[in-house]
Amino acid sequence: MEPSPDTAAPTGGSGEAQARAMTGDGRRIRQAVVVIHGIGEQRPMDTLRGFVDAVLPDSPDYDTKYRSKPDAMGDLLETRRLQAPAKERQGRPQTDFYEYYWAHHMEGSKYSHVFRWMLWLLFRRPSAIPGALRPAWFTSWGLLVFAIVLLVAGSWVDATSGSHLFDWVGKWIFAGGVLTFILQSIASYIVLGYVADAARYLTPNPGNIEARNKIRSEGIKLVRSLHESGKYSRIVIVGHSLGSVIGFDIIRNLWGDLRQPETPHPQKQPELKSFEEAAGRLDAAQPTPTEIEAFQQAQHRLWSEFRAVGVPWLVTDFVTLGSPLTHAQLLMADNEADFLRRKAQHEYPCCPPGDNDTLGYETRYRIQQGGETLIRSVRVAHHGAPFCCTRWTNLYFPYRRLIFGDLIGGPLNGVLGNGIRDISVVPSTGRRLDGTLLSHVRYWTPGETVQRAAARSDSKPSLEALRSALRLEFLRRKRARANTDAAP
């Protein structure tokens, strides 16, 4: 990663000198990482502490990896800011980790929320179901038909033979009551504690609008506060599971407010044209790792250029883990045509932005200089182009044979653009059980050494891939080179 003009470190000298680099106005370089949790009834800070403990490698240089400090950016008093001190030799500046906690907005979920969502998914045409989900979709239909047949057959046997097959609960009232209580508790925990989160957030029914709006608006407020604080030179947003959809919504809504300069600094903008050329070189069918690498470098150079002309946008990277956006055409649209239309209209921003509109256009500003008013212009990107200058890296466990890999997540390249870097990973723990559907919650679980985990598969260990995607040590200058699994 190349340092931007406002975060550039000296070209020579030790890592210590780089980590102590200052911004142009004399401020010490800092970066912020916002972690957005997925579905479930997590307690505040549980996700963030586990995440930070995993991604920050152990080091003898410090007594502790991080300090817990008050979170002045958010309104929720249950959350804290975890501050990792600068790691000078590795070129990592001071890093503040924030958790965007939203689970409390999903209290009061009902079975009706889930039931309507499940029916909406089940009664879609088979052609509208993404290929990776079709086995699970047909299995769900098979189980539903089997349950209906069993119920009808049992009722018919009771009515014709007098066997009273379904009357055992009446004979064993206590056992039946205990079993009913256990089954209802399990169903309530799974359905209302987990599935309902996805059902309510992904379905814009009137009963869900208030919760959806609160989740989005509070997330936008947090990231906006990080921008306005003046403390940070770079922001990374990380979304796990449903949190990746929330992160996507935060980025696409906040970009509209922060894509134009506050105080413009007109100058030549050659990287805007270079970016369009790099985006055009992406192969429409299957971009190669080399093409993705070149594209992400062009994204970062464009971000640096936008910063130089006064654009306040600080989100350099969006990292998604086990993202259901891989099934976006099923979950976020009525059908494939509807999904394509929303992308073309920039309702769902793509990476790179769609080619139906010119990316940059001139905006004129009145600038006071020497007692006179001058008209100067700056080229800015349109409202649907946050990923022209925000790199998107997606980690996923490949799904296969119904129970192996991550059913919820998957590749995103081609779903929301050809410029997303997909990284296929294996659990860092190396345990076989973690390679099943449990993998969805194993993206940053530490375990075996990188060498042992990597030896089991051609894919990269998930924790190593996550550390690389975060680019926390971005002050360490590297040569720009093509790499299949990590950007410079």
Side-chain angles (χ1 to χ4, degrees):
M1 170 176 167
E2 301 175 5
S4 62
D6 62 333
T7 62
T11 56
S14 65
E16 179 177 353
Q18 291 176 332
R20 290 177 177 173
M22 301 290 182
T23 60
D25 57 4
R27 292 180 292 109
R28 179 163 295 188
I29 295 173
R30 297 183 181 180
Q31 60 185 342
V33 179
V34 179
V35 179
I36 309 174
H37 67 79
I39 60 175
E41 297 182 331
Q42 295 94 340
R43 295 188 304 174
M45 298 299 293
D46 280 356
T47 296
L48 185 63
R49 289 185 185 279
F51 181 90
V52 177
D53 280 331
V55 300
L56 293 182
D58 293 323
S59 173
D61 295 341
Y62 306 104
D63 294 332
T64 58
K65 291 184 180 181
Y66 55 84
R67 306 180 185 93
S68 176
K69 294 196 170 185
D71 178 3
M73 302 297 171
D75 294 330
L76 190 63
L77 298 180
E78 300 288 347
T79 59
R80 303 276 293 180
R81 169 173 54 106
L82 302 185
Q83 183 182 91
K87 198 167 186 179
E88 298 174 345
R89 292 186 180 88
Q90 281 69 34
R92 187 187 76 201
Q94 178 179 302
T95 306
D96 291 341
F97 293 88
Y98 296 85
E99 178 178 58
Y100 175 47
Y101 184 81
W102 54 266
H104 59 296
H105 290 306
M106 288 300 182
E107 286 297 308
S109 296
K110 302 176 182 178
Y111 283 106
S112 59
H113 292 127
V114 179
F115 183 70
R116 287 196 297 177
W117 184 61
M118 295 298 292
L119 286 180
W120 181 70
L121 295 179
L122 282 173
F123 283 94
R124 301 287 287 272
R125 292 182 301 174
S127 60
I129 307 300
L133 282 184
R134 285 178 187 173
W137 186 81
F138 283 115
T139 300
S140 299
W141 263 112
L143 292 174
L144 179 61
V145 171
F146 175 76
I148 293 174
V149 170
L150 181 64
L151 181 62
V152 173
S155 301
W156 181 79
V157 170
D158 282 354
T160 57
S161 65
S163 65
H164 303 291
L165 181 63
F166 289 93
D167 281 352
W168 66 275
V169 175
K171 295 177 181 179
W172 301 95
I173 297 177
F174 177 75
V178 171
L179 180 61
T180 300
F181 174 77
I182 293 174
L183 293 177
Q184 185 177 17
S185 299
I186 294 174
S188 297
Y189 178 75
I190 296 175
V191 175
L192 298 183
Y194 289 84
V195 182
D197 289 354
R200 295 184 65 188
Y201 189 82
L202 295 171
T203 309
N205 290 332
N208 301 330
I209 297 298
E210 183 177 1
R212 283 161 51 97
N213 190 61
K214 285 182 178 179
I215 291 172
R216 291 174 178 178
S217 60
E218 289 184 6
I220 291 171
K221 183 179 179 181
L222 170 60
V223 180
R224 186 193 297 275
S225 296
L226 296 176
H227 280 82
E228 295 176 349
S229 69
K231 293 181 177 180
Y232 301 106
S233 302
R234 170 180 183 248
I235 297 172
V236 180
I237 296 179
V238 183
H240 173 238
S241 188
L242 185 60
S244 67
V245 185
I246 296 172
F248 178 75
D249 287 337
I250 290 173
I251 288 173
R252 70 188 179 103
N253 284 285
L254 185 59
W255 167 256
D257 293 337
L258 300 182
R259 65 188 176 89
Q260 297 194 26
E262 295 174 334
T263 302
H265 304 287
Q267 56 186 272
K268 293 182 178 180
Q269 296 176 255
E271 294 300 339
L272 193 57
K273 182 178 180 180
S274 297
F275 170 81
E276 293 176 331
E277 294 173 351
R281 286 192 293 268
L282 289 177
D283 183 71
Q286 184 85 34
T288 65
T290 300
E291 289 172 328
I292 294 291
E293 172 63 24
F295 172 71
Q296 289 201 330
Q297 290 183 7
Q299 283 179 295
H300 187 67
R301 290 195 300 269
L302 181 58
W303 175 79
S304 299
E305 184 175 85
F306 278 155
R307 293 287 296 152
V309 299
V311 174
W313 185 253
L314 294 178
V315 183
T316 62
D317 290 273
F318 181 40
V319 180
T320 51
L321 313 170
S323 176
L325 288 169
T326 190
H327 312 302
Q329 91 175 43
L330 174 68
L331 300 175
M332 299 169 61
D334 294 332
N335 49 52
E336 184 177 3
D338 181 41
F339 183 60
L340 293 175
R341 180 171 56 251
R342 294 186 185 209
K343 290 196 296 182
Q345 295 174 345
H346 306 311
E347 184 176 340
Y348 295 151
C350 292
C351 177
D355 58 1
N356 57 327
D357 289 327
T358 301
L359 174 62
Y361 63 91
E362 288 192 2
T363 301
R364 295 189 175 186
Y365 296 87
R366 288 183 171 85
I367 300 175
Q368 297 294 328
Q369 183 175 338
E372 59 179 328
T373 301
L374 304 177
I375 304 297
R376 295 289 184 268
S377 64
V378 171
R379 293 183 63 82
V380 298
H382 62 70
H383 70 279
F387 297 108
C388 70
C389 57
T390 298
R391 298 171 295 196
W392 190 340
T393 304
N394 176 61
L395 277 60
Y396 70 98
F397 295 104
Y399 174 67
R400 62 194 187 282
R401 290 182 289 179
L402 285 178
I403 63 170
F404 294 101
D406 187 355
L407 172 64
I408 297 175
L412 295 181
N413 194 291
V415 178
L416 286 162
N418 297 323
I420 302 171
R421 181 193 293 273
D422 281 326
I423 303 179
S424 170
V425 296
V426 295
S428 296
T429 61
R431 295 191 293 262
R432 293 187 181 276
L433 187 61
D434 288 341
T436 63
L437 298 177
L438 289 175
S439 62
H440 184 66
V441 294
R442 296 290 188 265
Y443 281 93
W444 58 81
T445 304
E448 293 186 339
T449 63
V450 170
Q451 290 79 9
R452 289 180 60 194
R456 296 176 181 269
S457 171
D458 294 333
S459 298
K460 195 170 185 178
S462 56
L463 183 54
E464 180 189 359
L466 175 56
R467 288 171 175 168
S468 177
L470 293 174
R471 299 178 171 94
L472 297 182
E473 299 173 351
F474 72 93
L475 288 178
R476 180 175 54 192
R477 284 183 177 269
K478 298 179 180 179
R479 295 178 182 176
R481 67 182 186 275
N483 194 321
T484 58
D485 52 18

